[in-house]
Amino acid sequence: MKFSKLAKESLKYYVYGLVDPVDREIFYVGKASANNRAFDHLKNNTKESNKNKKIEEIRKVGKEPIVEILRYGLESEAIAFEVEAAIIDAIGLENLTNEVRGHGVLRGRTHAKEIERLHGSDPIKASDVLEPCMLFYIHETYSSTSNELEIYDSTRQFWQGVSKSNRENLNTKIALAIVDGVVVRVYSIVAWFSAGETMSTRQFKGKPDKWEFVGQLIENHPLAGRLLVGDDGYPIKNMQKGYSYLPRTPQTM
């Protein structure tokens, strides 16, 4: 199936769901713009993902996923992003095959105590942190609906090219889970392993030179709940590779 030209004009930006025809539950949420992207997921796709595995499971019993439009006629991509994220939050990322929560994570479904943790936290300059720490930016996978094990696993896995010196001599023994500059969890780093070697709630996709650590939650660490800011007073920015080090010495840059 595909949309006609007239249907596309009415759709504008839209948010859709892929539905299991057996239990009528949505298993994937996405957004699109006046096109047939909602149906592209149903084409033969060799990429290994939870979504594609679910589609194959449905087809093995002789059925096809249902495409449902959850909201359409949206005026901008920004609005579509917000609607998509809100629906993912309402269903719960753990109940979907989406890889991440979507955009606007911190404005989404959140416990009241998490609002206080994220937005009522005292700022501290990153340059004033003298204890060696690794910062892991987990904004794409962090959710207040996730359990502690899921947050732990999203913090400790799977990181590309972590420096050998920090794996071997463990100069850096503290891991900070960062969401929009706020330290949402603090863990000890006990040991590093090649990715996929330890038990996890997450699936490792087998790319080379990725690493994971094991450690323990430190609930009363002085940085827990603090907002890390730069010398300009603004929250520290997420790093493209997903992690960084404090203090920022030439060896760890």
Side-chain angles (χ1 to χ4, degrees), residues 7-244:
K8 290 178 183 177
E9 291 175 355
S10 295
L11 281 172
K12 297 183 179 178
Y13 287 97
Y14 68 95
V15 177
Y16 61 89
L18 301 184
V19 179
D20 186 331
V22 177
D23 59 17
R24 305 294 298 186
E25 297 288 337
I26 296 172
F27 64 87
Y28 182 85
V29 176
K31 73 158 192 65
S33 173
N35 57 32
N36 288 300
R37 182 176 180 182
F39 300 106
D40 290 343
H41 301 287
L42 306 184
K43 297 177 181 178
N44 291 329
N45 195 331
T46 58
K47 181 180 178 182
E48 186 173 337
S49 69
N50 291 331
K51 177 193 65 183
N52 290 337
K53 287 180 180 178
K54 179 67 174 179
I55 292 173
E56 288 304 310
E57 289 174 4
I58 293 171
R59 286 174 171 166
K60 283 180 180 178
V61 297
K63 297 183 179 293
E64 278 290 310
I66 300 169
V67 175
E68 290 188 356
I69 307 304
L70 307 178
R71 185 69 65 182
Y72 67 94
L74 304 174
E75 294 297 330
S76 70
E77 185 177 39
I79 294 173
F81 273 134
E82 292 289 346
V83 172
E84 177 193 36
I87 292 172
I88 290 173
D89 277 352
I91 297 173
L93 184 63
E94 63 275 16
N95 299 314
L96 295 166
T97 59
N98 292 66
E99 299 291 334
V100 297
R101 283 180 74 190
H103 292 246
V105 172
L106 291 181
R107 297 188 305 278
R109 180 180 179 181
T110 308
H111 293 299
K113 65 180 181 180
E114 288 296 302
I115 291 292
E116 182 61 29
R117 182 203 297 267
L118 295 172
H119 300 289
S121 54
D122 294 327
I124 180 173
K125 285 187 177 182
S127 57
D128 290 338
V129 177
L130 302 180
E131 182 180 22
C133 301
M134 282 192 75
L135 282 59
F136 298 94
Y137 304 94
I138 62 168
H139 57 286
E140 289 189 346
T141 54
Y142 176 79
S143 170
S144 63
T145 61
S146 298
N147 60 43
E148 285 297 327
L149 182 57
E150 291 168 332
I151 297 173
Y152 169 58
D153 283 344
S154 68
T155 303
R156 71 187 189 89
Q157 300 170 317
F158 302 104
W159 303 108
Q160 183 82 27
V162 177
S163 71
K164 186 176 181 181
S165 63
N166 281 281
R167 296 198 309 271
E168 290 185 345
N169 57 38
L170 290 180
N171 286 332
T172 306
K173 297 182 179 180
I174 298 297
L176 308 181
I178 306 295
V179 179
D180 205 30
V182 176
V183 181
V184 297
R185 296 293 188 277
V186 180
Y187 302 98
S188 63
I189 298 176
V190 176
W192 283 96
F193 297 86
S194 294
E197 288 188 353
T198 67
M199 295 289 291
S200 176
T201 60
R202 306 171 74 209
Q203 181 185 9
F204 175 54
K205 298 183 179 179
K207 295 182 179 180
D209 194 26
K210 287 198 171 184
W211 302 87
E212 60 192 32
F213 71 85
V214 295
Q216 292 183 324
L217 177 67
I218 306 175
E219 294 190 22
N220 298 315
H221 192 279
L223 289 176
R226 301 294 297 274
L227 174 66
L228 291 178
V229 300
D231 291 337
D232 58 3
Y234 288 97
I236 58 172
K237 295 181 179 179
N238 302 324
M239 300 293 288
Q240 185 174 5
K241 63 183 178 180
Y243 64 88
S244 63

